[in-house]
Structures are given as C-alpha cells and as structure tokens.
Amino acid sequence: MLWAAVATAQPGDAGPADIHVEGDEPGTAPAEWASQESGQDPAEAIEEIVVVGARSFSPDEALLQRRRWAPGIGDGLSAEQLRRTADSTAADAIKRIVAATVHDGRYLVVRGLGGRYTGVLLNGAPLPSPDPDGSATPLDLFPASLLASLQLQKGYSPDLPGAFAGGVLQLETRDFPRRPTLRIKLSSGGDSTGTWRDAPSAPGGSLADLGFGGESRGLPESIGAEGPLVASESLPQAEIDALGKDFVNQWSAEATRRQPNLGVAVELGDTFTVGSRKLGLASAVGVGHRSGLRRSTARRTDATGRLVTEVRAIDAGVEATTVNASLNAGLTVSSSQRLGLLGLYIRRGDDSAQLTSYTPEGQASSTRVERTSLRFVERALGFAQLSGVHAVPAGGLLTWQANVARTTMDEPDTRDITYLTALGGPQTIAGSGAGSADRFFAALSDTSGGASADLGVPVLTGSEVKVGGAWQRSSRTFSSRRFRFSVTDQSLEGLPPEQIFAPDNLGAGVHLTEVTGFTDGFVAGRNLGAGYALVDLGELEWLRLIAGARYERLAQTIDVGSRYSLVTATQRLGRNDGQVMPSVSVVADLDDELFLRAGYSRTVARPTFRELSPALYYDFARGRTASGNPELRTTRIDNLDLRGEWFLGGSELIAVGAFYKHLDQPIEAAFKDQNGDAMTYVNTPRARCLGAEVEARLELSRLAAWLTPFFVGGNLSLIHSRIDLDGGGGPAVIEGTRRRRPLQGQSPVVVNVELGARLERTETELTALYNLAGARIAEVGVGGTPDAYEAPLHRLDLTISQELGDYRLKIAGTNLLNQRAQFVREDTVILGYAPGVAVHVALEWAYN
C-alpha cells in the first residue's frame, strides 16, 4: 500500500523538510502531503501520519517494521545486527539470514539456488559481475561497514527483476546523518594458521598493498597489441625471443613472514540547511589488508573415476587488500520532493602464491612434481546513482533512479611453472600442458547503465495501483593472452627458473611462443527492457491482495574471437527473449501482530554469454575445455511460498514458513565424453526444491526479570532438492553419476543461533554466534565418479563490545571451534585444510 508504514507523532516532530525519520517507510508520503490532501491543518494531524524518505533502516526495530508491512516474503539484517558480528563483508554477513549460504566464499546461494537463480541489487539497481564466465555478483567486494541493511526478498513481486528463483538480495548503503558526525575506526587481527608464520608470496609492485598490480606485473609494452607473436618472415623467432627479455624474470615464490591484518575507516557526514531546503552529506573511505596461509592436502580422481593414491601437499599464501570510498547526498527540494546522489568505488586485490608438491601414482619415488603458481587478481566496481521521490496529484508517489556502473577484472601476469625431479636424475620443466612455464594476462570490463521509475496511486480505500518500467544496458569486453617459454638446451635443466629464463638465455636455449586461443577474447552486449503493473488491494482491514505481472525482453549478443589467436575469424551469436511473469500474493493481518502470507509467481533463469557461445574455451577453474550451446532455452520457475509471522514488539519475532519451486528446463553442465575432458551445457527436464524455515528473536526478560539484558535469536532451514537428468537429450554424458541428485551447492540443513547480552550499567555488549551449513555437493561426479561433498562446518564466533566514553572497543574471536574444512568423495577426504581461529580487535572513535 502507499502508506506502508504508519507512525504516531506529535506536532514539532519531523519537519516537512526533514524527512530523515526513524521508523518511516519508502513508498509513503510526508505528513504535510497527507494533511494537505485531506484539507486538515498539519498541526492537527497527530494521530496518524505517513512519513517517507531515505531513512536508514539500521535499527532492528525499524527493519522489522518494514518487514511487517511488506507485501511479500523476505528477511534482512540491519547495520545494528552487523555491528554485533565479526563479519567484515556482505559475503560473511549474508550467512546469518534464513536459508542463505555462500559458495566459494563470495557467491550467494538461497534455498539451495545460486548463480543464475539469485540477483543482487545496490539501492535498487542491478550490479554487473567481474566474472568472465558467470553472472553472479561477488559479495566479498562490499565491506559491511558501508551497508545500512541487507534485505533478501524470497517472494517475487513484479517490481523486482524477473530473473528470480532463490531470491534477490538488496544492498542498501548508509544514509546521511542528521547531525555532524565523524567516526574513525582502526582495526587489527590475525589467525592461528598464518599470522607470524612464513608463507609463500609473490613480489609485487609498490602499489600492491593498495590492491593495484602495478607496472611490474603488466604486459610489456614491447609485446604490442596489433596481433599474435607468431614466427614469420616479417617477425623471425629471434625477434620474438628478444621480446621475451622484457618479461619480469620472477618465477619463484618467496617466504614472507605474515603480519597481522590492518584496517582503517573514516566516516564523515552532516545535514545542512540551505534556505528552505535541507542537504545531507555522508562520505566514507576505508582500507583493509588481510593475509593468511592455507596448508591443505588433496587427492584426485583419474579419467576413469578411480581415486588415486597420490597425496598433494598445497601451501598457499594469500594477501587481500580492499579499498573503498563512497559519497551519499540527499537534497530536500520541497516538502514533496527529494533528490539523492550516490557515488561508490570499491577495489579489491588478491595476491596469491601456491606451492604444490606430490609424487605421481604408479611411479613410486622415481619422480617428484613441484608446481609454483603466482597470481594477482584485482577487481573494481564504480557505481553512481541519481534518484528522486516526488509527490504527485491524488496522493500518489513517483520514485525513479538512473545508474551507471563499471566493473573491471584484471589478472596481470599469472605465472605457472612445474618441475619434474627424477630419482637420481636432473630436474626438468614439464614440457607441455598447463604449468609448462606459462604467463597469462587477462582483463575484463563491463559498463552498464540504466534507469527505472515507479508510480503508485491510491485507489478506493487503502488500495493502490502501481506501474513502472526499467531499462538496463551493459557492454562487456574480455581479452586474454597466453605465452609459453620452452627450454631446448638440456644444459639449463636443474637450474632455478630465474637462471633458466635469464635474458641471456632467450634465443639461446629458451624460446617464447604465444599460445592464445580463439576464445580468449569476446565482446558481448545485453539490453533488457521491462514494464510491470500491480494492484495492491487493502479494502478489508485484515486482508491484502497483491496481484500483477511483469514483462521483460532481453536482447543478447556475443562476438567471440581474439585478435591474438592464429584463428582470426569472429563468431557471432545473438538472441532475443521475451517473457511474461505473473505474481499473486495474499497477506492476512490477523491481529496487527500475527500475519499470514502466501504467494505464487512464475519467473525465469537465463543462460549467460559463455553458456550460449559454441566456441571452445579452456575452463581453468575446472581444468578442462568447455563450450556453450546456442540452443539453450530459458528456464521457467514456478514459486510457491507460505509464511506465518508473529511480531511480538520491539525486535522480537517468531516466523514459520515453507516453499516449493519447480524448475522447467533447468540449465546444467554436461560432458561430451566419459573422461570429463570436454564440457558443455544442456537443458535437463526438470528440478524441484522444497523446504521449511523457522526463525525466532526473543528477549529473555519474558522468562525472568533478571534475564532482561539477554536476548536470543536463531533460524533453521530444512531444504530438499532433486534434479531429474533422464530424458533431457543433448550429450550422452550429463554431469552427475546419478540420474537424480540434489542441486549442486544446496545444503539440506542451515542453522544460525545468536545469544547476546546488553549490560547497560557497564555499557558492554556480548554476542555469541553459531553457524552450520549441512553437507552439499561441491563437485558433481563424472562417469563412474561419486559426487564430491563439502562436509558440514560448525562455526562459532564471539564478540565483545565495550563503550569507553567517545570510544568503542570491539574484540571478536571467529571459528573458535577450529574445525577442519573437508571435501569428501564417498569416505575419502579429497581436500582438507584448517581455517584456523581468528581474533579481530577494533577501536572506534565517534563525534556526533
């Protein structure tokens, strides 16, 4: 409804220009607007007023009020809840929400569905992904300190993007404060596995500590960008070898003592009066540096699916640096108009050095393999948004936003070299395949822009008609180059790599070759237009019906081909796809505290650029070739949701829900041969996902007065999924040894428990947090190979926060159970490592 949240106020509370009001709700009109429509004197409007604006939903109570009056089913975390945890990024925090887990430490999975089945919006605008092969937005890019709330919409409504199944995560940035505010936060920490220990690392440039690769990692300018380095009459091999001297001659990892993690953040904001207008400003900058060491053991399966006996020891040193800056401004033009401007920049650099050693099976102790991989990846997101809220005649409300975003990924000079040491013989470099003295350079850029507008107009009594539209266009470019150094002089074997590849040896026993493939570059475009209409009927005091539909039309194009490949042709693919997505939901307000919600919707999931292109490319993450399928069809999903919510007052809540999803023609990875060497994508017949969710937040003062400082919260999700691979056609070997299995990445059980205390006398706050995600398929088996599962990991965190005048001290211990992470295939551990126990200390000074 238009007046989704109702506040009780007295004259002299929020003025007409000051629309930053705690407890208000988007989609409603300020008090003066309502009184002017009714002809009532504003001073007399003291019973019920409706207040709108860009308020911060940080307090738990305000977030629950938003949830209480929402038309659909959703969950969320406020900044107050984030403050009580040790979570540093959105990826860490999202695991606290019911039925939400994280894949690969950064990608959201909701109700067992991830990737194409979930979306991420920043202040209502979709975000591009820096992943060249996927569309999922990595949540580790977003520091928790920048966010006012994380809201996960699980029930679909037509004003959301139609690519929906698991849910849509809405990230909301912090708003400007109402008074002068300055906060400075210093933090440090470490863990039991890496801090003060020697770990492998790769020497970097002077800006590596700020997440920048630096010129030392870039492709030498002498290599040029006109075409591939191929020996010819105009470009002899001797000249190519001479160009090889310009590459940085650094192949070996160095042992570096890992220092404690460090971070600094500064926030500054205020609200100014400019004539009859109010201008709010908030800015924030932050830098964080984390380092660690992961020691793991791994085993693999051979081409027939048999588990080999060789055990690989892997030592990986990792350093991650995040830099962020934001500026948020809001201008109250009049009592019926507000404009907002947001600018955000986030950069993260991940520097890793990995040493792998093992003796291949069947060769006893005759050969030892030692592989060194040096990799640096920097990802960046720049985002700008202009938005507005305007009252329109007849008590309506117009909201709009326009946005532009640029996402980049740069992987400069990944180096991979493998040594083979025979018993009693020389040490040689592997002569072919990945790891054979390779250098890899890759860059991706994605520029997107768009706009959306929503108009809500009240009709009848307590009802609303809402219409809107959206347009989003993106352009993506990916380019990579691969080079290989080959050794022909046997006298160089056995030397360290820096001596083998010394400039004097280039062209005299060492030769450079470019091995860039045809699919190592592509240019893609995406144009999405949408329109929707819905009716929110609230004529009955206790019953609310919301029904509507959304139409989306998507045009995609992709041109595959690299100018640096011997194959110079370009392969083009384009398609247009249009769908109608209906939705209906019912909200029964049984007694202003107990709400019953039910909803049905039909949504879609679409293939990505790479999944559509038939061009062959090498999937480095999985170590095999892959190609897309231009015949892929859009997946259609039927969603059913049911939830009962009991709002007990304040931040207390009890909720019980159930859901069911049927996926028609879901997209799955498939293999063209029994060895799993070549992969493609097909539409399988069907899949289903059903589950139950329970959530509670309670103050223990309900049990006894002496328990007043204590509160408890938690949620439990039980999920069952099944994908049916029979009868789908396409390649004979479809990913998975079982024709029916759970969805990849889906945990059957997800548990979160929070126990806390607020000691007002000492201004101390204590919080214990427990998280468990049940066993889930990490890698689907091929041929006769069983599926590989990620074993359940029990995590316990403890935080203590202490007010010290103008200072706040926070000490957090994470993963206190120190359980070992394991990936198992049947009863055998194929990958295991100890995450370690971590301690984090932060000191914040605030002036306001």
Side-chain angles (χ1 to χ4, degrees):
M1 286 179 290
L2 183 62
W3 40 94
V6 179
T8 301
Q10 296 294 330
D13 284 352
D18 186 0
I19 61 174
H20 182 90
V21 181
E22 297 298 331
D24 59 345
E25 191 71 23
T28 60
E32 279 207 353
W33 305 357
S35 59
Q36 289 169 1
E37 290 296 330
S38 64
Q40 184 181 14
D41 190 294
E44 298 176 3
I46 63 173
E47 283 299 320
E48 287 188 338
I49 63 171
V50 283
V51 190
V52 72
R55 60 155 300 254
S56 170
F57 290 99
S58 299
D60 292 348
E61 296 86 352
L63 196 63
L64 280 187
Q65 286 299 311
R66 179 171 185 170
R67 176 170 167 177
R68 176 199 293 259
W69 301 110
I73 293 175
D75 302 296
L77 289 175
S78 68
E80 183 175 343
Q81 291 172 288
L82 294 174
R83 182 177 55 82
R84 293 198 297 262
T85 73
D87 302 329
S88 59
T89 68
D92 298 328
I94 194 64
K95 294 180 289 186
R96 313 292 180 188
I97 293 182
V98 188
T101 57
V102 174
H103 170 65
D104 197 25
R106 63 185 63 174
Y107 299 117
L108 175 63
V109 177
V110 182
R111 292 175 165 177
L113 299 167
R116 76 184 84 251
Y117 301 109
T118 60
V120 178
L121 305 178
L122 179 61
N123 290 348
L127 291 173
S129 170
D131 183 354
D133 300 328
S135 58
T137 302
L139 297 180
D140 61 335
L141 277 179
F142 300 93
S145 59
L146 288 180
L147 303 176
S149 69
L150 292 84
Q151 299 183 65
L152 184 58
Q153 298 299 121
K154 298 178 180 177
Y156 180 72
S157 62
D159 54 353
L160 292 174
F164 179 102
V168 170
L169 176 63
Q170 301 194 57
L171 304 176
E172 294 190 352
T173 56
R174 288 180 178 269
D175 205 352
F176 48 86
R178 302 176 66 182
R179 58 183 63 88
T181 300
L182 172 63
R183 289 189 177 92
I184 301 176
K185 181 178 179 180
L186 303 176
S187 60
S188 182
D191 60 70
S192 60
T193 60
T195 306
W196 304 122
R197 296 176 184 268
D198 289 337
S201 64
S206 58
L207 297 178
D209 289 341
L210 293 178
F212 294 86
E215 294 183 0
S216 63
R217 282 192 168 100
L219 184 67
E221 293 184 2
S222 60
I223 298 300
E226 290 75 21
L229 295 181
V230 180
S232 61
E233 293 184 1
S234 59
L235 184 63
Q237 182 63 45
E239 292 187 18
I240 296 177
D241 293 337
L243 293 175
K245 300 178 181 180
D246 295 333
F247 285 86
V248 175
N249 187 25
Q250 178 69 51
W251 297 84
S252 302
E254 298 179 351
T256 303
R257 181 63 56 91
R258 294 304 191 203
Q259 304 299 318
N261 304 327
L262 294 173
V264 58
V266 179
E267 299 177 25
L268 179 65
D270 195 3
T271 297
F272 306 91
T273 299
V274 183
S276 61
R277 300 175 176 86
K278 282 201 172 182
L279 174 65
L281 295 173
S283 60
V285 294
V287 179
H289 183 270
R290 304 173 65 182
S291 63
L293 168 65
R294 173 174 291 181
R295 288 180 170 170
S296 55
T297 56
R299 297 177 67 180
R300 65 176 183 86
T301 54
D302 61 16
T304 66
R306 182 182 61 85
L307 194 69
V308 301
T309 59
E310 69 184 39
V311 177
R312 301 188 176 192
I314 305 172
D315 282 4
V318 179
E319 292 188 76
T321 302
T322 302
V323 179
N324 65 80
S326 66
L327 174 64
N328 196 4
L331 176 65
T332 304
V333 180
S334 68
S335 61
S336 59
Q337 296 187 73
R338 183 186 188 276
L339 299 176
L341 177 65
L342 171 67
L344 177 67
Y345 179 79
I346 303 173
R347 171 179 288 272
R348 174 169 172 139
D350 292 278
D351 198 350
S352 64
Q354 180 171 297
L355 306 180
T356 304
S357 60
Y358 62 96
T359 299
E361 185 184 49
Q363 301 185 33
S365 300
S366 60
T367 303
R368 186 70 177 168
V369 178
E370 295 180 340
R371 183 173 181 174
T372 300
S373 300
L374 308 180
R375 189 179 188 222
F376 180 85
V377 178
E378 52 183 294
R379 296 170 290 153
L381 168 67
F383 178 82
Q385 182 185 54
L386 180 65
S387 60
V389 180
H390 309 271
V392 297
L397 196 67
L398 172 66
T399 62
W400 58 270
Q401 65 87 28
N403 66 86
V404 61
R406 181 172 174 82
T407 300
T408 60
M409 185 279 296
D410 193 14
E411 184 175 346
D413 203 4
T414 291
R415 285 152 277 182
D416 207 345
I417 187 169
T418 302
Y419 273 96
L420 306 177
T421 305
L423 183 64
Q427 186 182 60
T428 61
I429 296 177
S432 62
S436 304
D438 298 328
R439 313 286 287 250
F440 176 71
F441 300 80
L444 176 144
S445 64
D446 189 307
T447 302
S448 65
S452 63
D454 304 272
L455 174 63
V457 179
V459 296
L460 303 176
T461 303
S463 299
E464 178 190 13
V465 172
K466 190 175 180 181
V467 296
W471 169 78
Q472 198 76 22
R473 180 178 178 85
S474 64
S475 175
R476 171 171 291 209
T477 302
F478 175 74
S479 178
S480 61
R481 300 186 73 174
R482 308 176 192 274
F483 302 89
R484 180 164 295 161
F485 290 82
S486 58
V487 181
T488 58
D489 186 353
Q490 296 184 356
S491 66
L492 297 176
E493 294 179 346
L495 297 176
E498 286 75 21
Q499 296 184 30
I500 295 177
F501 302 110
D504 292 343
N505 294 330
L506 268 296
V510 177
H511 303 282
L512 172 65
T513 305
E514 181 163 7
V515 291
T516 302
F518 168 69
T519 58
D520 282 329
F522 68 81
V523 177
R526 188 174 186 270
N527 197 349
L528 177 66
Y532 77 90
L534 65 84
V535 178
D536 189 344
L537 299 176
E539 293 185 72
L540 298 178
E541 292 185 0
W542 62 275
L543 185 64
R544 184 177 175 189
L545 173 66
I546 305 98
R550 183 183 185 92
Y551 176 77
E552 287 188 350
R553 187 157 195 87
L554 174 67
Q556 291 177 289
T557 61
I558 180 170
D559 295 316
V560 180
S562 173
R563 71 172 70 177
Y564 309 111
S565 169
L566 291 177
V567 180
T568 58
T570 300
Q571 188 174 52
R572 161 159 279 205
L573 176 71
R575 68 183 291 175
N576 288 284
D577 194 7
Q579 290 94 20
V580 176
M581 288 149 285
S583 170
V584 60
S585 60
V586 177
V587 181
D589 180 359
L590 302 184
D591 64 356
D592 284 338
E593 291 185 352
L594 183 61
F595 290 77
L596 183 64
R597 306 175 190 270
Y600 164 78
S601 62
R602 168 165 285 191
T603 54
V604 299
R606 302 182 177 99
T608 64
F609 293 126
R610 277 283 178 90
E611 292 169 345
L612 288 171
S613 172
L616 191 70
Y617 67 97
Y618 188 74
D619 184 348
F620 275 85
R622 299 183 179 182
R624 49 193 173 226
T625 59
S627 62
N629 176 6
E631 302 301 322
L632 283 178
R633 294 181 292 276
T634 297
T635 303
R636 287 176 170 80
I637 306 111
D638 290 297
N639 309 277
L640 287 171
D641 289 277
L642 179 66
R643 175 181 285 185
E645 295 175 320
W646 188 10
F647 295 90
L648 303 175
S651 60
E652 293 186 295
L653 167 76
I654 296 176
V656 179
F659 64 88
Y660 174 78
K661 298 178 182 292
H662 180 270
L663 288 75
D664 180 41
Q665 302 289 327
I667 300 170
E668 284 285 303
F671 293 92
K672 298 180 180 179
D673 57 61
Q674 292 288 343
N675 295 332
D677 294 329
M679 184 180 72
T680 187
Y681 300 89
V682 298
N683 289 104
T684 57
R686 67 191 65 86
R688 68 177 185 270
C689 182
L690 58 95
E693 301 169 347
V694 180
E695 179 185 10
R697 304 181 201 174
L698 297 172
E699 301 286 341
L700 295 187
S701 58
R702 290 178 171 271
L703 303 179
W706 65 272
L707 292 175
T708 298
F710 297 93
F711 62 92
V712 64
N715 55 72
L716 167 67
S717 302
L718 302 175
I719 305 171
H720 170 80
S721 67
R722 187 70 64 197
I723 188 165
D724 187 351
L725 302 179
D726 290 320
V733 183
I734 297 179
E735 187 173 9
T737 56
R738 291 176 291 167
R739 309 306 294 170
R740 296 180 179 180
R741 57 166 174 81
L743 291 169
Q744 182 179 0
Q746 178 255 312
S747 295
V749 179
V750 180
V751 179
N752 286 288
V753 178
E754 178 182 8
L755 177 62
R758 308 181 190 93
L759 308 178
E760 295 183 2
R761 177 177 297 180
T762 60
E763 295 185 312
T764 306
E765 191 169 346
L766 302 94
T767 308
L769 298 153
Y770 169 79
N771 172 260
L772 167 66
R776 53 189 174 185
I777 296 179
E779 182 177 339
V780 178
V782 182
T785 307
D787 299 329
Y789 278 82
E790 181 180 355
L793 185 64
H794 301 265
R795 173 170 170 147
L796 177 64
D797 301 339
L798 177 64
T799 63
I800 302 174
S801 180
Q802 179 65 56
E803 296 286 348
L804 301 170
D806 293 335
Y807 295 87
R808 174 191 291 269
L809 176 65
K810 180 178 177 180
I811 302 174
T814 62
N815 194 33
L816 298 179
L817 300 178
N818 197 24
Q819 182 180 351
R820 187 174 177 82
Q822 294 183 331
F823 296 78
V824 299
R825 200 183 296 276
E826 290 189 324
D827 296 328
T828 303
V829 178
I830 60 173
L831 175 64
Y833 62 90
V837 177
V839 176
H840 176 85
V841 180
L843 181 64
E844 178 180 311
W845 173 81
Y847 167 80
N848 52 30

